[in-house]
Amino acid sequence: MKKKNLNLRESVHKYQANCSRIGEIAELCEKENRERNPEEEAEYRSLVSANQLLRMRMDAASADNLRESSMMDSDRILRETLSAEKKVTIMLQRDIQTSTALEGTGVIPVAEQEMLKPIRKGLIYDKVGINIRSGLSAGKLRWPTHTKAVAKFADEGERLTDSSIDFSKLEVKPERMGIAIPISREELDSSQGIVESVVREEMPKAIIDLVNGALFTTVGTYKTVEGGTEKTKDKKVVGPFVEALKSVKVFAGEVPTRKELLQMKAAVASGIELLAPCWVMTENMKAELEDVKIDEGSGRFLCENDKVLGYPVFTSAEIGEGFVGFGDWSYQAAGFFGPMNMVVDPYTLARNNATDFVLNGHFATVTLRQEAFSLGCAKSKKPA
């Protein structure tokens, strides 16, 4: 059977043209939000079938061309050399065409693997026992507070002096938080939904990072530039460690001793009833404490089984290197007000042929008892 002559480059171009047409059909169906009609279905099947046939022929042609061209060149050179009665030295050698010749042609299939996602911590505030409320209505959160009543000893028949209880309130209002990511239509369409799924997954996780950072930070201000002038402003949402920094315990060295940690614990335990206490520090500080021996003979270390002095340790980079926090997080309340609104806006950036993904929500947190938290820091991190 005589083989049909097949040009490899032409086959590749035909293969790519078929793929482009399949893409056009897919884009049209997506734009009109429908399935393929009978004509498009027939064309689609025909294109897929043609590509499968082209793939087989290109594979066969590649092998045949290599073999035939090599044999023809060798035969011709050998005959001409022998007819000229010249000395012949035969070396078995051929130039091998590598896969780089097919780079970017689409002939070699690409096996897409799972998307590599950024490394981030989860909802740490959920793990440490913070009282989280969601779906709160608009407005404020309010906690009525009062001082202690004071009793006194008195002699027989002595008139007791009046005692009073002072009432006040603790309020917190929600602050807006959000994220907006504009994406071009070309990027959304060419990725066949992958980019959009990543955006929808990453936006809520960015909110997690924002809340974690607010709750565990020790820095209560940030810098901004307005009118060419740098200004310092207070952060809208912070946790208990910003206030605790004002009375921070400075360690004698870069790593706290067992006695210094016991003093931090005692400072908290003397003021409140411990319900959900834990330590918060960076992973590096935790590793340092795992290498601090309690004594010379027992072989035990200050941090063992993710606990220090019997209380769990949670790590967060947000607290900052060199800092160690201890507290009872049941005295830190937080809440999400209303729903988290995700808006996919294809109209506002229509002139740019782009879609705007916007996520908005409202969050608030308040420290119910500041005495429930203490903060320590390495000697080099001592506040000015």
Side-chain angles (χ1 to χ4, degrees):
M1 180 177 179
K2 185 177 180 181
K3 295 182 180 179
K4 294 182 178 180
N5 292 328
L6 182 66
N7 186 292
L8 185 59
R9 185 176 297 276
E10 292 178 358
S11 299
V12 170
H13 290 331
K14 179 61 177 175
Y15 184 90
Q16 292 176 330
N18 290 346
C19 291
S20 298
R21 177 53 186 158
I22 292 175
E24 292 173 0
I25 295 174
E27 184 176 352
L28 182 61
C29 292
E30 182 181 8
K31 182 178 180 180
E32 298 179 357
N33 193 21
R34 61 174 176 80
E35 300 291 333
R36 292 188 294 269
N37 58 37
E39 293 78 10
E40 291 170 339
E41 181 67 25
E43 184 181 4
Y44 169 75
R45 293 182 178 275
S46 176
L47 291 169
V48 171
S49 177
N51 275 357
Q52 290 175 344
L53 184 59
L54 283 169
R55 176 72 65 83
M56 290 188 293
R57 287 182 174 176
M58 286 187 290
D59 290 343
S62 297
D64 289 342
N65 287 343
L66 274 175
R67 183 173 59 254
E68 291 175 3
S69 61
S70 177
M71 291 177 61
M72 290 176 61
D73 291 343
S74 301
D75 290 346
R76 178 178 56 78
I77 293 172
L78 180 59
R79 286 195 297 269
E80 292 177 354
T81 303
L82 291 175
S83 63
E85 297 182 352
K86 295 180 180 179
K87 182 179 179 180
V88 177
T89 301
I90 298 177
M91 298 180 63
L92 297 178
Q93 180 178 350
R94 75 165 67 170
D95 292 330
I96 300 176
Q97 179 175 317
T98 65
S99 59
T100 56
L102 301 178
E103 185 72 26
T105 63
V107 174
I108 300 177
V110 178
E112 297 290 350
Q113 302 300 308
E114 183 180 359
M115 181 78 68
L116 294 178
K117 300 178 180 180
I119 299 173
R120 55 158 48 90
K121 295 289 186 179
L123 287 166
I124 302 178
Y125 62 75
D126 182 48
K127 298 177 184 177
V128 296
I130 298 177
N131 181 17
I132 300 289
R133 302 182 184 184
S134 60
L136 298 172
S137 59
K140 298 180 179 180
L141 286 179
R142 175 183 297 168
W143 287 264
T145 65
H146 62 81
T147 60
K148 293 181 179 180
V150 180
K152 297 180 180 179
F153 290 102
D155 294 332
E156 182 179 351
E158 180 183 353
R159 180 182 177 86
L160 292 172
T161 58
D162 293 338
S163 182
S164 64
I165 300 175
D166 295 330
F167 289 89
S168 61
K169 61 186 178 181
L170 180 64
E171 290 184 338
V172 62
K173 69 181 184 68
E175 298 290 348
R176 179 190 171 201
M177 57 183 178
I179 180 174
I181 303 178
I183 304 289
S184 70
R185 289 299 308 175
E186 289 86 353
E187 184 175 355
L188 290 172
D189 294 341
S190 61
S191 67
Q192 298 180 350
I194 294 177
V195 169
E196 181 172 352
S197 66
V198 170
V199 170
R200 288 179 178 272
E201 180 181 3
E202 278 298 304
M203 293 180 78
K205 290 183 178 180
I207 296 296
I208 293 174
D209 291 343
L210 180 67
V211 172
N212 279 345
L215 285 170
F216 297 103
T217 185
T218 57
V219 181
T221 60
Y222 69 98
K223 292 184 179 180
T224 182
V225 178
E226 296 181 2
T229 304
E230 185 177 80
K231 295 184 178 181
T232 300
K233 292 188 175 182
D234 292 332
K235 292 181 179 178
K236 292 181 178 294
V237 179
V238 294
F241 292 143
V242 171
E243 183 66 24
L245 185 66
K246 297 176 182 178
S247 56
V248 65
K249 177 178 178 56
V250 181
F251 306 137
E254 294 303 296
V255 178
T257 63
R258 184 172 185 271
K259 184 176 181 179
E260 288 171 333
L261 294 177
L262 282 169
Q263 290 172 345
M264 289 182 60
K265 171 196 166 186
V268 172
S270 62
I272 65 161
E273 179 184 359
L274 296 178
L275 300 175
C278 74
W279 301 91
V280 179
M281 62 190 72
T282 64
E283 196 68 50
N284 288 337
M285 179 62 78
K286 178 186 172 186
E288 292 285 353
L289 296 181
E290 288 172 333
D291 193 45
V292 176
K293 293 182 179 180
I294 293 179
D295 51 44
E296 292 299 326
S298 66
R300 298 191 57 195
F301 296 87
L302 194 51
C303 180
E304 292 181 338
N305 300 320
D306 295 329
K307 290 185 177 181
V308 169
L309 304 179
Y311 297 110
V313 175
F314 292 94
T315 58
S316 171
E318 302 298 342
I319 193 172
E321 290 294 349
F323 286 91
V324 174
F326 181 76
D328 192 316
W329 293 91
S330 63
Y331 293 95
Q332 182 73 27
F336 292 92
F337 290 73
M340 297 290 290
N341 294 314
M342 166 74 90
V343 176
V344 181
D345 179 8
Y347 306 111
T348 305
L349 301 177
R351 291 193 178 190
N352 304 92
N353 195 30
T355 296
D356 209 12
F357 293 83
V358 182
L359 178 63
N360 275 291
H362 290 82
F363 177 80
T365 186
V366 65
T367 305
L368 303 179
R369 299 286 183 189
Q370 187 59 49
E371 61 269 28
F373 300 92
S374 64
L375 184 69
C377 71
K379 186 176 181 180
S380 62
K381 299 294 181 178
K382 180 180 178 180

